[in-house]
Amino acid sequence: MHKTGPQSRHRLPFRWSFRAACVAFFAFSVFIFVRVAFAQDSFGQPSQEPPNEERFVYKLTPDVPITTSSGVQNLSAIWHEKPVLLTMIFSRCARVCSPFLRSLNSAVSDAGGLGTDYRIVVLSFDPKDTLADMQRLASELGLNADPDWTFGVASPSDIRSLAAATGFWFQWDSSTQQFDHASLVVAIDRGQLVRMLAGPSVPAASLREVVQELRGKFVASYALAGKVAFRCFEYDPTSGRYSLDWGLALMLLPGTCAILATAWVFFLLPASRKKRNLI
Amino acid sequence: MTAATADSGLWSEAELAKFRRMTLIWGITVLLLLPILALLGYFMRLYQSGAFSGMRAEWFYAVLTLHSLGMVGTWFVGSMAGVSYLLLKYTRPNLAVSKFVYVGTLLGVVLLIACTLGGLFGTGWYFLYPLPLFAQGVWAPWATFTFFAALTILGVCWTIWTLDLLRAVAQRYSLGAALGWNYLVGKPGPELPPLVLITTVSLIVSLSGFVAAVIVIALFAARALGVNVDPLLMKNLTFFFGHDLVNITMYLGIAMVYELLPSYAGRPWRTNRTVAIAWGAVLFLVMFAFFHHLYMDFAQPTWIQKLGQICSYLLAMPAGVVSIFGTLAALVFAARMKWTLSSTFFFLGILGWGIGGIAAVIDSTVEVNFHFHNTLWVPAHFHTYYLMGVVLIILGFIDHAGKELSGLEEKPALSKLTAALLLIGGYGFLFMFYWGGVNSVPRRYAIYPQEVIQGTLYARIAVGFITLLLLGILLYLWETGRRCLKALA
C-alpha cells in the first residue's frame, strides 16, 4: 500500500490527461470534419462590390460537364450552337435567387433574341441540389417547358472552376442556413466571357446591350457596374445610338469659363471700363 | 528699335528698365533650362540606343516625363515673357504679376524635378488617368502628390499671367477691336497690331486649356477619394489642356514673328481682313482639333472623330497658310532682308512650323492615324514645330532682345555656324524620328523589342545628329547668353 499510493497518484492524472487528449482529438476531428464539409460549400471572397469585369472578360470559360434533363453534356455543346447567358443560383434560396431569375426572364422578354441569338443556362452551386430540385425551381418560375432555358447541376469542383472563371462567389452562412452569394449573369460567346451583369436584378437596358454584343454588334462603350461619375455618352442599346451625358457638360466648361473670364476682363474690370475710350 | 520707349506715354523710363530686366531674367532662365532639358532628350535617345543597358527603364520614363513637361513649360513661359515684352509698346502688363509667376514657375519646376528624378514619377506629360494613381511600386504616393502640386502651382500662376495680359490688352482695346472685328465687317477702325490680335486669341484659348487642367486635377482628386471617373472624359480633358497649351505656345511665337520680322524685312506686316478672319477661325477651331488625339479611342462616337479631323484640317489653313504665305510673300520675297541670327531663326521657325504642321495634318487623318498612332511619327511632328519652330522663334527673340538691350553686335560667321549646326542637327534628329514612324517603331519605348529592333539603329544615328544640335545650342548660349548677361548687368 505504501508503494501503491504514489503509483495511484501518478496514474490518476495520466488517465485524466489521456481522456482529455481523446476528447480534444475527437472535438478537433469534428471541427475539421465540419470545416471540410462546409468548406466545399463556400468559394471566393464575399464582396458587396461587383466583380471587376476587366479581369474576366475575353477569358475562356471552363468547358465543364453539366447534368440537365437531357442528360450529361458539356457546356461547349451549348455555346457551340449559340452564345450562352450563364447564371448560378441554389434552389433552397429564400432571398435573391428567384427574384433574380424572374428579373432575368423579364429582361429577356424585353430584349428578345432568346433561342435565336442565345440560350440561358442556370446551374446550382449548392452540392445538395439535385436535378429534380432544379427542375422544381424551373417549374415554379414557369420555365420548365422552355427549351432555351436549361437548368442543371454540376460537380462541386466544376462549379468552383466555373465560379473562378466568372467572378462568382458563394459563402455558407450557418446562422441563416443560407448561402450568401453573388447575383451575376455572364454572357459567353464561343467559350469566351464577353460581358457580365452584376446586381440583385437584371436591368432590361443592360441586357439589351449584352444581346447586341451576342448578335455580333460592337458596343464600343457601356457603363461598368458601379457608379461612374460624369460619363460623356450614354449608349442606348435599343437604337444602338449614343446620347450625350453629363460628363460632356464638363467638356463645355473650359470654353464657357474662358468666354466668361474674357467678358469679365473686357467688360467688368473697372480699369478696363475706365480706359476703354482709348481705342 | 522694336522695343517700347518712354515716348509712347505708357511707361516711364524707370518702369521700362525694370520690365526689360525682368524679361532678361526670364530669357536667361530659359537659356539655362534649354541645355538641361535638351540633355535629358539626349539621354533618352542614348538609352534607346542601348547605351545604358544596366540602368532601370524606370529612369527613362521619369526623364521622359520631366523632359516633355519641362520643355512645354519652358517654351510656354518663354513665349509669354516675349509677348509681354513686345506688348509694352501697346499696353501695360503688370510687372508684379510677372515676378510672382516667375517665383511660382521656379517652385513648380523644383517640384517637377523632385517627383521625376527624385521619385521616379514616370507617366509622361499626359499623366493619363488613372495611371498616376497606380504606380505599381515604381513611384511613391508622395511623388504623385508632388506632381499634381507642381501642376496646380504652374496652372494657377500661368492662369494669373494670362488674365493679366488680357487685362492689359483690355485696358487699351475693346474686345471687338482686340479681335479685329472691324476688319471682318469692313468698317474703319483703330489699327490693330497683329501682335495684339494673335495674343488676344491665344490668351482666350489658353484660359480654356487651364480650366480643363483644373477639372482634370479635381477629378483625379475625386478618384483618389474613391469616386470613379469616366476615363474617356479624363482623356478628352487632358488633351484639351495639353493640345491647347502646345498650340498657344506656337501661336505666341508667331505673334512675335509678326511683330519683329518686319523690322528685318523693312516692310510692314499689318492686320488685314484675311489675317483677322484667320485668327478668328483659330479661336474657334483650336478648341475642337484636339479630338485627333483620341482617334484610337473607339468609345468616342464617330461624329466626334470626324469633327476632330475636319477641325484639324481647317486649323492648318487660316493660321498656317496665312502666316506662312505672309512670311514668304509679303515679307521675305524680294525684300532687302537683314539676315541676322534672329531673323534667320524667325524664318526657320516659320519653316519648321510649316513642315511640322504638314506632318501633323497627315497624322490627323483617321486612315493614316491607324498606322502612325503611337509611332515615332508623333514625336517627329511635334518636335518639328516645337524644336525647329517655336523654339527657334523664341531663341530668335531672346537673341533680338539681348542685342537690343546690350548693344553688342553679333559675329556673322559664328551666327551662320550656329544656324547651320542647329539646322543639320535638328532636322537630322527629326528625320530619324520620321523614319522610325514610317517603319512602325513605337514611341515611348525605353528598349526596343526584337520586332522593332530597327528603332535601336535609328536612335544611334539620331544621337549623332543630336550631338551636332547640342553643339549649335552651346554656341548660341555662349553668344546670346553673353549679350543677355551684359544687358542684365
PDB file of all heavy atoms in Angstrom, chain B residues 424-446:
ATOM      1  N   ILE B 424      21.180  71.369 -89.354  1.00  0.00           N
ATOM      2  CA  ILE B 424      21.583  69.999 -89.732  1.00  0.00           C
ATOM      3  C   ILE B 424      21.290  69.034 -88.576  1.00  0.00           C
ATOM      4  O   ILE B 424      20.685  67.974 -88.764  1.00  0.00           O
ATOM      5  CB  ILE B 424      23.082  69.954 -90.111  1.00  0.00           C
ATOM      6  CG1 ILE B 424      23.326  70.817 -91.351  1.00  0.00           C
ATOM      7  CG2 ILE B 424      23.536  68.523 -90.365  1.00  0.00           C
ATOM      8  CD1 ILE B 424      24.792  71.105 -91.627  1.00  0.00           C
ATOM      9  N   GLY B 425      21.727  69.435 -87.384  1.00  0.00           N
ATOM     10  CA  GLY B 425      21.495  68.563 -86.221  1.00  0.00           C
ATOM     11  C   GLY B 425      20.021  68.357 -85.958  1.00  0.00           C
ATOM     12  O   GLY B 425      19.563  67.239 -85.708  1.00  0.00           O
ATOM     13  N   GLY B 426      19.253  69.455 -86.022  1.00  0.00           N
ATOM     14  CA  GLY B 426      17.820  69.382 -85.715  1.00  0.00           C
ATOM     15  C   GLY B 426      17.061  68.527 -86.712  1.00  0.00           C
ATOM     16  O   GLY B 426      16.346  67.584 -86.334  1.00  0.00           O
ATOM     17  N   TYR B 427      17.237  68.818 -87.990  1.00  0.00           N
ATOM     18  CA  TYR B 427      16.467  68.067 -88.983  1.00  0.00           C
ATOM     19  C   TYR B 427      16.977  66.625 -89.139  1.00  0.00           C
ATOM     20  O   TYR B 427      16.196  65.717 -89.447  1.00  0.00           O
ATOM     21  CB  TYR B 427      16.437  68.805 -90.323  1.00  0.00           C
ATOM     22  CG  TYR B 427      15.353  69.863 -90.339  1.00  0.00           C
ATOM     23  CD1 TYR B 427      15.656  71.212 -90.227  1.00  0.00           C
ATOM     24  CD2 TYR B 427      14.014  69.496 -90.405  1.00  0.00           C
ATOM     25  CE1 TYR B 427      14.654  72.178 -90.202  1.00  0.00           C
ATOM     26  CE2 TYR B 427      13.009  70.443 -90.381  1.00  0.00           C
ATOM     27  CZ  TYR B 427      13.329  71.780 -90.278  1.00  0.00           C
ATOM     28  OH  TYR B 427      12.327  72.716 -90.241  1.00  0.00           O
ATOM     29  N   GLY B 428      18.276  66.422 -88.891  1.00  0.00           N
ATOM     30  CA  GLY B 428      18.786  65.047 -88.909  1.00  0.00           C
ATOM     31  C   GLY B 428      18.159  64.224 -87.794  1.00  0.00           C
ATOM     32  O   GLY B 428      17.694  63.088 -88.001  1.00  0.00           O
ATOM     33  N   PHE B 429      18.119  64.828 -86.618  1.00  0.00           N
ATOM     34  CA  PHE B 429      17.489  64.174 -85.455  1.00  0.00           C
ATOM     35  C   PHE B 429      16.013  63.895 -85.731  1.00  0.00           C
ATOM     36  O   PHE B 429      15.500  62.806 -85.458  1.00  0.00           O
ATOM     37  CB  PHE B 429      17.698  65.097 -84.244  1.00  0.00           C
ATOM     38  CG  PHE B 429      16.658  65.017 -83.176  1.00  0.00           C
ATOM     39  CD1 PHE B 429      16.563  63.904 -82.358  1.00  0.00           C
ATOM     40  CD2 PHE B 429      15.789  66.083 -82.943  1.00  0.00           C
ATOM     41  CE1 PHE B 429      15.613  63.847 -81.345  1.00  0.00           C
ATOM     42  CE2 PHE B 429      14.839  66.030 -81.949  1.00  0.00           C
ATOM     43  CZ  PHE B 429      14.745  64.906 -81.153  1.00  0.00           C
ATOM     44  N   LEU B 430      15.338  64.879 -86.337  1.00  0.00           N
ATOM     45  CA  LEU B 430      13.908  64.706 -86.632  1.00  0.00           C
ATOM     46  C   LEU B 430      13.687  63.648 -87.706  1.00  0.00           C
ATOM     47  O   LEU B 430      12.726  62.878 -87.630  1.00  0.00           O
ATOM     48  CB  LEU B 430      13.314  66.038 -87.104  1.00  0.00           C
ATOM     49  CG  LEU B 430      13.224  67.125 -86.039  1.00  0.00           C
ATOM     50  CD1 LEU B 430      12.816  68.447 -86.655  1.00  0.00           C
ATOM     51  CD2 LEU B 430      12.232  66.721 -84.969  1.00  0.00           C
ATOM     52  N   PHE B 431      14.594  63.617 -88.694  1.00  0.00           N
ATOM     53  CA  PHE B 431      14.420  62.650 -89.772  1.00  0.00           C
ATOM     54  C   PHE B 431      14.416  61.227 -89.214  1.00  0.00           C
ATOM     55  O   PHE B 431      13.648  60.379 -89.686  1.00  0.00           O
ATOM     56  CB  PHE B 431      15.530  62.807 -90.813  1.00  0.00           C
ATOM     57  CG  PHE B 431      15.401  61.818 -91.939  1.00  0.00           C
ATOM     58  CD1 PHE B 431      14.431  61.986 -92.918  1.00  0.00           C
ATOM     59  CD2 PHE B 431      16.216  60.703 -91.999  1.00  0.00           C
ATOM     60  CE1 PHE B 431      14.289  61.064 -93.940  1.00  0.00           C
ATOM     61  CE2 PHE B 431      16.079  59.772 -93.013  1.00  0.00           C
ATOM     62  CZ  PHE B 431      15.108  59.958 -93.995  1.00  0.00           C
ATOM     63  N   MET B 432      15.241  60.971 -88.216  1.00  0.00           N
ATOM     64  CA  MET B 432      15.270  59.617 -87.649  1.00  0.00           C
ATOM     65  C   MET B 432      13.970  59.290 -86.914  1.00  0.00           C
ATOM     66  O   MET B 432      13.547  58.135 -86.864  1.00  0.00           O
ATOM     67  CB  MET B 432      16.473  59.442 -86.707  1.00  0.00           C
ATOM     68  CG  MET B 432      17.820  59.597 -87.389  1.00  0.00           C
ATOM     69  SD  MET B 432      17.903  58.906 -89.067  1.00  0.00           S
ATOM     70  CE  MET B 432      17.614  57.181 -88.778  1.00  0.00           C
ATOM     71  N   PHE B 433      13.336  60.307 -86.357  1.00  0.00           N
ATOM     72  CA  PHE B 433      12.003  60.107 -85.767  1.00  0.00           C
ATOM     73  C   PHE B 433      10.990  59.754 -86.872  1.00  0.00           C
ATOM     74  O   PHE B 433      10.224  58.798 -86.752  1.00  0.00           O
ATOM     75  CB  PHE B 433      11.539  61.384 -85.064  1.00  0.00           C
ATOM     76  CG  PHE B 433      11.843  61.443 -83.581  1.00  0.00           C
ATOM     77  CD1 PHE B 433      11.911  62.666 -82.918  1.00  0.00           C
ATOM     78  CD2 PHE B 433      12.040  60.301 -82.819  1.00  0.00           C
ATOM     79  CE1 PHE B 433      12.170  62.743 -81.563  1.00  0.00           C
ATOM     80  CE2 PHE B 433      12.302  60.364 -81.463  1.00  0.00           C
ATOM     81  CZ  PHE B 433      12.369  61.596 -80.839  1.00  0.00           C
ATOM     82  N   TYR B 434      10.994  60.565 -87.924  1.00  0.00           N
ATOM     83  CA  TYR B 434      10.043  60.311 -89.027  1.00  0.00           C
ATOM     84  C   TYR B 434      10.282  58.926 -89.638  1.00  0.00           C
ATOM     85  O   TYR B 434       9.344  58.169 -89.892  1.00  0.00           O
ATOM     86  CB  TYR B 434      10.193  61.374 -90.125  1.00  0.00           C
ATOM     87  CG  TYR B 434       9.526  62.693 -89.808  1.00  0.00           C
ATOM     88  CD1 TYR B 434      10.274  63.855 -89.624  1.00  0.00           C
ATOM     89  CD2 TYR B 434       8.146  62.799 -89.698  1.00  0.00           C
ATOM     90  CE1 TYR B 434       9.670  65.074 -89.339  1.00  0.00           C
ATOM     91  CE2 TYR B 434       7.530  64.013 -89.411  1.00  0.00           C
ATOM     92  CZ  TYR B 434       8.304  65.138 -89.235  1.00  0.00           C
ATOM     93  OH  TYR B 434       7.699  66.333 -88.941  1.00  0.00           O
ATOM     94  N   TRP B 435      11.549  58.632 -89.861  1.00  0.00           N
ATOM     95  CA  TRP B 435      11.891  57.342 -90.468  1.00  0.00           C
ATOM     96  C   TRP B 435      11.434  56.198 -89.565  1.00  0.00           C
ATOM     97  O   TRP B 435      10.917  55.183 -90.038  1.00  0.00           O
ATOM     98  CB  TRP B 435      13.408  57.292 -90.717  1.00  0.00           C
ATOM     99  CG  TRP B 435      13.843  56.157 -91.579  1.00  0.00           C
ATOM    100  CD1 TRP B 435      14.610  55.103 -91.193  1.00  0.00           C
ATOM    101  CD2 TRP B 435      13.531  55.942 -92.957  1.00  0.00           C
ATOM    102  NE1 TRP B 435      14.794  54.244 -92.247  1.00  0.00           N
ATOM    103  CE2 TRP B 435      14.141  54.737 -93.349  1.00  0.00           C
ATOM    104  CE3 TRP B 435      12.781  56.659 -93.893  1.00  0.00           C
ATOM    105  CZ2 TRP B 435      14.032  54.231 -94.637  1.00  0.00           C
ATOM    106  CZ3 TRP B 435      12.683  56.149 -95.169  1.00  0.00           C
ATOM    107  CH2 TRP B 435      13.306  54.956 -95.532  1.00  0.00           C
ATOM    108  N   GLY B 436      11.631  56.375 -88.280  1.00  0.00           N
ATOM    109  CA  GLY B 436      11.165  55.374 -87.311  1.00  0.00           C
ATOM    110  C   GLY B 436       9.660  55.219 -87.377  1.00  0.00           C
ATOM    111  O   GLY B 436       9.128  54.102 -87.349  1.00  0.00           O
ATOM    112  N   GLY B 437       8.940  56.339 -87.481  1.00  0.00           N
ATOM    113  CA  GLY B 437       7.478  56.287 -87.553  1.00  0.00           C
ATOM    114  C   GLY B 437       7.008  55.539 -88.785  1.00  0.00           C
ATOM    115  O   GLY B 437       6.118  54.682 -88.717  1.00  0.00           O
ATOM    116  N   VAL B 438       7.625  55.838 -89.908  1.00  0.00           N
ATOM    117  CA  VAL B 438       7.250  55.174 -91.164  1.00  0.00           C
ATOM    118  C   VAL B 438       7.527  53.676 -91.067  1.00  0.00           C
ATOM    119  O   VAL B 438       6.808  52.858 -91.645  1.00  0.00           O
ATOM    120  CB  VAL B 438       8.031  55.813 -92.338  1.00  0.00           C
ATOM    121  CG1 VAL B 438       7.887  54.996 -93.599  1.00  0.00           C
ATOM    122  CG2 VAL B 438       7.548  57.238 -92.562  1.00  0.00           C
ATOM    123  N   ASN B 439       8.560  53.310 -90.293  1.00  0.00           N
ATOM    124  CA  ASN B 439       8.905  51.892 -90.142  1.00  0.00           C
ATOM    125  C   ASN B 439       8.307  51.266 -88.877  1.00  0.00           C
ATOM    126  O   ASN B 439       8.850  50.304 -88.327  1.00  0.00           O
ATOM    127  CB  ASN B 439      10.425  51.726 -90.147  1.00  0.00           C
ATOM    128  CG  ASN B 439      10.991  51.919 -91.536  1.00  0.00           C
ATOM    129  OD1 ASN B 439      10.854  51.069 -92.396  1.00  0.00           O
ATOM    130  ND2 ASN B 439      11.591  53.072 -91.761  1.00  0.00           N
ATOM    131  N   SER B 440       7.223  51.880 -88.414  1.00  0.00           N
ATOM    132  CA  SER B 440       6.413  51.298 -87.321  1.00  0.00           C
ATOM    133  C   SER B 440       7.136  51.194 -85.982  1.00  0.00           C
ATOM    134  O   SER B 440       6.759  50.364 -85.149  1.00  0.00           O
ATOM    135  CB  SER B 440       5.894  49.907 -87.705  1.00  0.00           C
ATOM    136  OG  SER B 440       5.192  49.965 -88.899  1.00  0.00           O
ATOM    137  N   VAL B 441       8.144  51.995 -85.757  1.00  0.00           N
ATOM    138  CA  VAL B 441       8.810  51.954 -84.443  1.00  0.00           C
ATOM    139  C   VAL B 441       7.927  52.706 -83.452  1.00  0.00           C
ATOM    140  O   VAL B 441       7.591  53.867 -83.687  1.00  0.00           O
ATOM    141  CB  VAL B 441      10.207  52.600 -84.506  1.00  0.00           C
ATOM    142  CG1 VAL B 441      10.867  52.583 -83.137  1.00  0.00           C
ATOM    143  CG2 VAL B 441      11.071  51.876 -85.521  1.00  0.00           C
ATOM    144  N   PRO B 442       7.541  52.057 -82.362  1.00  0.00           N
ATOM    145  CA  PRO B 442       6.640  52.729 -81.423  1.00  0.00           C
ATOM    146  C   PRO B 442       7.349  53.813 -80.625  1.00  0.00           C
ATOM    147  O   PRO B 442       8.559  53.764 -80.431  1.00  0.00           O
ATOM    148  CB  PRO B 442       6.174  51.597 -80.501  1.00  0.00           C
ATOM    149  CG  PRO B 442       7.236  50.578 -80.591  1.00  0.00           C
ATOM    150  CD  PRO B 442       7.873  50.700 -81.935  1.00  0.00           C
ATOM    151  N   ARG B 443       6.572  54.766 -80.175  1.00  0.00           N
ATOM    152  CA  ARG B 443       7.110  55.804 -79.304  1.00  0.00           C
ATOM    153  C   ARG B 443       7.063  55.308 -77.858  1.00  0.00           C
ATOM    154  O   ARG B 443       6.427  54.290 -77.570  1.00  0.00           O
ATOM    155  CB  ARG B 443       6.306  57.095 -79.454  1.00  0.00           C
ATOM    156  CG  ARG B 443       4.890  56.982 -78.945  1.00  0.00           C
ATOM    157  CD  ARG B 443       4.023  58.139 -79.350  1.00  0.00           C
ATOM    158  NE  ARG B 443       4.321  59.330 -78.591  1.00  0.00           N
ATOM    159  CZ  ARG B 443       3.393  60.271 -78.248  1.00  0.00           C
ATOM    160  NH1 ARG B 443       2.131  60.108 -78.600  1.00  0.00           N
ATOM    161  NH2 ARG B 443       3.725  61.330 -77.595  1.00  0.00           N
ATOM    162  N   ARG B 444       7.742  56.034 -76.983  1.00  0.00           N
ATOM    163  CA  ARG B 444       7.714  55.779 -75.532  1.00  0.00           C
ATOM    164  C   ARG B 444       8.225  54.391 -75.163  1.00  0.00           C
ATOM    165  O   ARG B 444       7.788  53.821 -74.172  1.00  0.00           O
ATOM    166  CB  ARG B 444       6.308  55.934 -74.961  1.00  0.00           C
ATOM    167  CG  ARG B 444       5.674  57.273 -75.182  1.00  0.00           C
ATOM    168  CD  ARG B 444       4.388  57.351 -74.391  1.00  0.00           C
ATOM    169  NE  ARG B 444       3.582  58.469 -74.815  1.00  0.00           N
ATOM    170  CZ  ARG B 444       2.348  58.364 -75.294  1.00  0.00           C
ATOM    171  NH1 ARG B 444       1.768  57.191 -75.405  1.00  0.00           N
ATOM    172  NH2 ARG B 444       1.689  59.432 -75.649  1.00  0.00           N
ATOM    173  N   TYR B 445       9.106  53.808 -75.977  1.00  0.00           N
ATOM    174  CA  TYR B 445       9.718  52.540 -75.604  1.00  0.00           C
ATOM    175  C   TYR B 445      11.139  52.823 -75.130  1.00  0.00           C
ATOM    176  O   TYR B 445      11.936  53.402 -75.876  1.00  0.00           O
ATOM    177  CB  TYR B 445       9.772  51.586 -76.805  1.00  0.00           C
ATOM    178  CG  TYR B 445       8.556  50.707 -76.957  1.00  0.00           C
ATOM    179  CD1 TYR B 445       7.285  51.245 -76.910  1.00  0.00           C
ATOM    180  CD2 TYR B 445       8.687  49.331 -77.158  1.00  0.00           C
ATOM    181  CE1 TYR B 445       6.172  50.447 -77.060  1.00  0.00           C
ATOM    182  CE2 TYR B 445       7.573  48.522 -77.307  1.00  0.00           C
ATOM    183  CZ  TYR B 445       6.313  49.093 -77.260  1.00  0.00           C
ATOM    184  OH  TYR B 445       5.212  48.299 -77.410  1.00  0.00           O
ATOM    185  N   ALA B 446      11.464  52.402 -73.937  1.00  0.00           N
ATOM    186  CA  ALA B 446      12.822  52.604 -73.435  1.00  0.00           C
ATOM    187  C   ALA B 446      13.782  51.698 -74.202  1.00  0.00           C
ATOM    188  O   ALA B 446      14.861  52.116 -74.620  1.00  0.00           O
ATOM    189  CB  ALA B 446      12.876  52.313 -71.947  1.00  0.00           C
TER     190      ALA B 446
END
